[in-house]
Each structure stands twice: as C-alpha cells, then as structure tokens.
DNA sequence: CGGTCACTTGATCGTCTTCAATACCAGTGG
DNA sequence: CCACTGGTATTGAAGACGATCAAGTGACCG
C-alpha cells in the first residue's frame, strides 16, 4: 500500500516581550477592547502569538478545549465533519473573531487556516483570571455570543429553507459587508475560500455553486474577474434574492 | 373578500406577592440558580409571571427586545420567517430555557407557545441590574449561550448535510434525551409539536416527515401509539443513523 | 351527523446531486 | 519554449431525493 507522507506543519510560536496589544489590528473589533489601555500589558502577558500556515488545522472537534484563540490576521474556516467525510462549514473567522465560545470542555468544531493566519492564544486558566479581573470582558463575550447566535439562526434559515440561488445571493451580500452585518457594503469582494468551502458553508455542492455563479454572471448580477475575486453589479437584485423577495 | 376574525388571546399577567422563586420548577435548570437562596426575593421582585395559551406568539422577530423570558412550564417553538411564509424553526424551548440571547436590540426570532406555557418575564433594565449585582448570573448566561451555540452548529450540520432519514433519527435521539444532550434517554417520547413543526425544524416538508416516520415504523425502529407519542424500539439503530454511521 | 384539522399515502415533478469530461492556471522540469 | 502535473473550477448528462399536488383517513367536536 502506497502511503503519502505529509509533512505536518509546525505551528510557529512567538512568545516574546515584543508582543504588544496596544497596536493590535484586532483590538477595536475584538473582546480585548474591554480592557482599558493602561492595563494592556496584563492582556499581552496572558496571550501568545501564533502564525498558522494556510491549510493547517489548529482546532480539532472533540479535543479538549485547553486554550482559546483570537484571530488577528487572515481567515479561518470553522467546520464540523460527519464520519463519512461530509462537511458543514459553520462560519468563517476574520480579524477580531474570538474562537472558543462553542465549547463544552471539548471543542464543538474544527478550525483550519485558509490563508496565513495570525492568532492570539489564551490558555483556559489565564483567560479565566482575565475574565474574573475584567468583568467588562465577560460582558463583551456575552455580546459576541449573542451576535453569533443571531448569525447561526440566520444560517439555519438559509440551510433549511432557502434555494441554491437564494443561498448564494445571501452569501454574496454578506461578504460584501465583510462577513458582518451593519458594515459598509463594497462592490469588490475577495473570496479567499475555495468553491468547495463555499459549497460546504451553504449546504450545496461545488458544481451547484459554480453553476449558480455563472447564472448570476450571465444575468449581469455579478462579474468574476478572477477566481478569488468577485464584483457585484446589481446589489439590489442580490439583496432581493437573499431576502427572498422575488 | 371573506375575512377570518381571530380572537387575539389576551396574555394573562399574574404579578402578585405570591410569586416565589424558591420552589420554581425551572430554577435547577435555569440561569436563576446563579442567585443564592437567601436573595431569591430580589429575583422574584424583578420578574413577572405570564400564562401563555397554546398558539400564542409572545415574541415577534424584529420587535424591540424590551424584555426577556424564562420558560417555567410547557414548550415554545422559536422560529424565523421568510417574507413568502417559509419558516425555519430554530429550536424548542422547554423548562428552564432562557429566551433573549439571540438579540441585538430587536429579537432575531419569534416565539410561539405550543402547549400552555408559563413564563417569567424580566424587563431589560431589571435584568441589567440583576446581572450587575450577581456576576455569577452573567457567567451562567455565557455558559448557556455557549451551549446554544454548540447546538446551533450541530443543527447547521443537520440542515446542510444530513438526509431526511438522518435528520429524523437525529431528532428522535435528541428528543429521547429530553431535547438536551447528556440527559438520560427514555424510550417513550412526547411530541407536543405538530408534524409541521418537526418539518420546519428539520428543513423538510410534513409529507417527508410523515413518510420517514412510517418507514421507521415498518422497519421496527419506532412505534407510534398516538400522534403525539412515540416509542423508540431500536435506539442503537437510530443513533447510528443520526451520527451517519450507516 | 357535517365540519375541521392534522396526519397519511400516492403519483408526479423539479431542483440539486452525482458522475464524468473538459478547461484553466501555476509550478516544474526537460 | 513547451510538455507535464496537480489542484481547482466549469460545464454537461443522467439520476435521485425530497417537494409538490392531490386524494384519502381518522380523531375530535359542536
């Protein structure tokens, strides 16, 4: 039996005195903003910076949740697997996203870097201390959890009740807002994830994703200058489709 | 044009000195257990007891979230609607379930009583005060939110990647544990919800639910003594189906 | 009884999947 | 420069699962 040997990428760990939270890109949008500026050294001391190469799984479903993460750069996909390999991507984690809410001793999902990802890692114990010392951070976590719950319910609606066209439209509209609601919309969308990722996120196959995107293109709703780049031509039509007003 | 007039059920409000939290059925399993016994009067003072008749919608998606609820009796369905009437039930709320996590000023879902439901209502302001006074309660809320998030992701996997048989099997196995994981399994399941509710929960139609249940019955996996009652005959087979090990 | 409502069962249909072939693109080496 | 390779995306044809449409059953109730 031939065996492919895959070099397991070593996760580079950078724990240095240089690690500073005060000019972290993620802070404005992350739970860390609950900690006042003059105490940021506490936060820096509790965390370790990691560099994750693309394709690396850094959280595995079912493994003990000994540490939590904060994404400070890049995009990760969060997913669950069935024994036969079927996959459901439950979300994409961008700048500022806190990983470790859906947890009950063990992680309920796996996480894999799509492009080069930078993480802040907090051990469970150290985070516990931080939360006890900064109740505001716990409040922020609750806020974040509430928002994720809203998003999750929206996704259930999509997966349970929307058609392929509606799912793709919803996805594109969401991406045009940078993955979060209430953000300014951009016509140009970067798609760091593959078609397969999009399919597994929307509960479809890659063929259906591909076909539907070409439909949208022939209908002049979008343009696809490159594989990982997309231009929205008719946002209103897509929004109507997404909210199923058609 | 003929018009059906529906008597809007008045929600009975019982705000009396008799409202006591110390022998509330919901307390052991709800967020209220974060408050020590000798301070339960604070909790009672902050809440109002409501009786909700079956079929009454007591939370409407999009309306301002001025109050939160705790279910102390009965079962409610939580759902989202599309403009054309398609519905996705995102969950069922039983004894002890806190309603108001998936919130961002306005409710992200609607809630309707399936059978006679009793609720504890907390105004947003009063709950705020309670949470500030009892940080343990905030911690409990975060726990609850984390658990709901885990459940939501599991449901996304179901909706996005499982077949009708697998969905029904997952549903039945979950119900045999009383809707929550880690609880003792019972062979006899009460199904207060209609087939239509089950369908909208699993992203199917009532016909598919009905058919699949009869398949299960002819395969001796289950028995259906009454419409709202179900007996599991072969739990192992159902569990294998649910986790897609077949 | 007739009426309603929820559920079941049957026949047909359509959307999305599956299977398969082809195109595309970047990287590598002759 | 071009052939070769591996990974990813697109396109086509056929098939299946679940949806839709429609009829029938049974329970409950005034």
């Amino acid at each position: 039996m031939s065996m492919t040997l895959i070099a397991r990428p070593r996760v580079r760990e950078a724990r240095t005195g240089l690690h500073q939270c005060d000019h972290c890109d993620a802070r404005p949008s992350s739970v860390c903003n609950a900690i006042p500026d003059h105490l940021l050294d506490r936060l820096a001391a509790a965390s370790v910076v990691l560099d994750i190469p693309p394709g690396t799984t850094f959280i595995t479903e079912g493994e003990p949740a000994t540490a939590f993460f904060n994404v400070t750069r890049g995009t990760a996909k969060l997913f669950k697997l069935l024994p036969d390999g079927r996959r459901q991507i439950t979300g994409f984690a961008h700048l500022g996203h806190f990983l470790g809410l859906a947890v009950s001793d063990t992680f309920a999902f796996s996480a894999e870097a799509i492009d080069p990802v930078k993480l802040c890692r907090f051990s469970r114990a150290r985070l516990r201390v931080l939360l006890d010392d900064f109740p505001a951070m716990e409040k922020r976590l609750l806020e974040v959890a509430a928002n994720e719950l809203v998003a999750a319910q929206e996704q259930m609606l999509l997966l349970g009740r929307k058609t392929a066209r509606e799912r793709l439209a919803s996805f594109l509209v969401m991406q045009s807002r940078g993955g979060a609601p209430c953000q300014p919309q951009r016509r140009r969308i970067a798609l760091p994830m593959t078609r397969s990722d999009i399919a597994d996120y929307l509960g479809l196959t890659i063929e259906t994703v591909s076909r539907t995107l070409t439909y949208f293109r022939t209908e002049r709703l979008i343009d696809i200058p490159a594989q990982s780049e997309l231009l929205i031509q008719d946002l209103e039509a897509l929004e109507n489709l997404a909210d199923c007003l058609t």
Side-chain angles (χ1 to χ4, degrees), chain A:
Chain A
M1 174 187 181
S2 87
M3 182 76 172
T4 311
L5 293 177
I6 299 176
R8 174 176 302 220
R10 271 315 276 153
V11 172
R12 276 198 18 225
E13 247 186 55
R15 184 181 195 166
T16 72
L18 293 173
H19 171 211
Q20 289 175 343
C21 292
D22 51 356
H23 41 59
C24 170
D25 294 336
R27 204 161 94 86
S29 57
S30 85
V31 292
C32 305
N33 65 5
I35 292 184
D37 289 357
H38 64 285
L39 293 172
L40 276 186
D41 52 337
R42 292 270 327 260
L43 186 60
S47 60
V48 176
V49 176
L50 303 181
D51 269 302
I52 312 290
T56 312
T57 300
F58 58 93
I59 293 178
T60 303
E61 181 181 353
E63 294 207 340
T66 55
F68 304 126
F69 302 92
N70 215 356
V71 178
T72 58
R73 178 173 189 165
T75 306
K77 50 190 173 197
L78 317 178
F79 59 95
K80 289 173 75 76
L81 290 174
L82 289 174
D84 62 3
R86 279 175 284 175
R87 183 179 66 161
Q88 178 65 39
I89 292 183
T90 57
F92 298 101
H94 305 104
L95 180 67
H97 198 110
F98 181 81
L99 297 171
L101 283 169
V103 153
S104 53
D105 290 330
T106 63
F107 283 107
F109 58 88
S110 302
E112 181 184 324
I114 289 179
D115 45 20
V117 161
K118 265 193 202 305
L119 298 175
C120 256
R121 187 179 66 191
F122 303 87
S123 80
R124 197 179 188 125
R126 280 166 171 275
L127 185 68
R128 187 71 266 158
V129 173
L130 271 183
L131 290 180
D132 288 340
D133 291 358
F134 300 101
M137 197 164 172
E138 189 131 34
K139 283 195 206 304
R140 274 288 289 143
L141 270 187
L142 190 55
E143 268 179 51
V144 169
N147 288 336
E148 289 211 21
L149 222 36
V150 172
Q153 293 182 356
E154 190 68 38
Q155 193 68 1
M156 288 191 232
L157 178 63
L158 179 149
L159 292 170
R161 287 299 177 222
K162 289 190 182 178
T163 66
R165 284 174 66 86
E166 291 163 352
R167 292 181 201 201
L168 253 303
S170 304
F171 174 73
L172 294 179
V173 169
M174 206 189 55
Q175 291 300 310
S176 84
R177 297 201 184 97
C182 313
Q183 294 226 352
Q185 294 176 333
R186 293 172 196 173
R187 288 192 49 223
R188 159 172 264 96
I189 300 176
L191 297 176
M193 67 289 285
T194 66
R195 298 284 186 275
S196 173
D197 289 340
I198 299 175
D200 284 349
Y201 180 57
L202 299 177
L204 301 169
T205 59
I206 61 170
E207 293 94 333
T208 302
V209 169
S210 185
R211 268 186 256 274
T212 307
L213 286 179
T214 42
Y215 291 154
F216 283 173
R217 198 172 39 182
T218 60
E219 295 164 12
R220 307 270 176 224
L221 302 183
I222 62 170
D223 192 21
I224 308 179
Q227 273 187 177
S228 58
E229 205 180 316
L230 192 145
L231 263 155
I232 295 190
Q233 308 276 28
D234 191 343
L235 182 58
E236 201 186 337
L238 283 179
E239 286 179 328
N240 286 341
L241 253 179
D243 297 327
C244 312
L245 299 172
T246 321

